[in-house]
Amino acid sequence: MIKCGIIGCGVIAPTHVEGYRALPDVEIVHISDLIPERMEKLGEKYGIARRSVDYHDLLADPEVELVSVCTDHASHAQIVIDALEAGKHVVCEKSPGRVPEDLKRMTDAAKRHPELVVSGIFQHRFQPANRTLRRLIEEGKFGRIVGVNLVFNCLRTNEYYQKDAWRGTIAGEGGGVLINQAIHHLDQLRFLFGGIRRVSALTANLTHQGVIEVEDSAAFVVEFRNGVFGTVNATNSAAEEWRSMLSVTGTELCLEYANEKPVHVEGLDAARAREVEEALSLEIKEQVVGKQYYGVGHTAQLADVVDAIREHRAPEVTIADACGSAVLVMAVYESARTGNWAEVPEY
Ligand SMILES: NC(=O)c1ccc[n+]([C@@H]2O[C@H](COP(=O)([O-])OP(=O)(O)OC[C@H]3O[C@@H](n4cnc5c(N)ncnc54)[C@H](O)[C@@H]3O)[C@@H](O)[C@H]2O)c1
């Protein structure tokens, strides 16, 4: 039996609870939140008896072997480090940190504890269609990929930002649409097409003036390490809740892929285009826990973390790999601030 603790009992916590509960021989034994009412509500709903306002008490619980960190961005690095020092395996929600120093501290701590499994949540990597798309790319179905364009639209209202003190602040969230929402799809770019070498970016606060300190919109050019160019346009001021639209241009096949479904596939070989479209048109039977756009990946990612503990291996998304997506966001901020290209450090 692997016994878990969850730190942070807000919006995303039930997705972790349900994810763990779906796994055999995994039990949640301890939860923590600074706001007692949130912790009591989650504990009562799922029958989790041990509850601590101070997360250090959860980390001192000898039964807890694995900890999910589900708090705001600014607190992630210290909680992950404290969990590792307490001898716990850890899975940390995105973004793994708020500033580059956070990422360095977390990855250094993970290196000091090679005996522990440390993962960062990017659940869209476990969404079946994304895994299929990655396989199709690796199999060469697109020929050579010569262009990638991502448009990410979502809606975050002023009320959303006013709900919790950390949201929309530099000190708490570290950024806006890019570090919180679009980061999933920037991670998807790295997952599908490989690392990014440098970025040239613009950011703005177009519709949340006076409410947030961070960007609600961004546009940037990326150069992948393999020389391919891409563009990204992201906003959380759109008239739709969540839509990621990825266009992949290959020398043999082109794909328009929206919210992880193919909307247009065309290529030199019509039979191959049909085959790719069918392979990506997957029916998902699992129930999503939380917002529909979270997808079904949390449970699969938590299963990978638990298996990694049992099999004494690294998880599929190591904390360093997760930090690779966070540092991409931070490079975009640096470029927007300086007006110059920003190099993306390798993680
Ligand atoms: N993967 C996804 O699809 C997804 C979706 C939503 C949120 N998230 C991420 O999950 C994290 C939490 O987001 P949320 O929307 O649940 O936020 P939230 O504000 O609803 O919940 C965070 C909770 O953490 C608690 N907390 C903060 N510091 C703490 C501490 N030191 N000890 C104990 N509790 C503490 C807060 O009191 C709060 O209840 C963020 O990193 C966010 O980006 C991920």
Side-chain angles (χ1 to χ4, degrees), residues 7-13 32-35 38 53 55 70-73 75-76 79 93-95 121 123 164 166-167 180 184 294 298:
I7 303 177
C9 300
V11 173
I12 199 61
S32 167
D33 200 292
L34 292 173
I35 303 174
R38 287 193 183 173
V53 169
Y55 74 81
C70 297
T71 58
D72 55 87
H73 300 170
S75 58
H76 286 170
I79 298 178
E93 263 298 344
K94 54 59 135 175
S95 163
I121 289 280
Q123 80 271 15
D164 300 289
W166 66 278
R167 297 187 197 275
N180 197 326
H184 286 293
Y294 295 173
H298 269 96

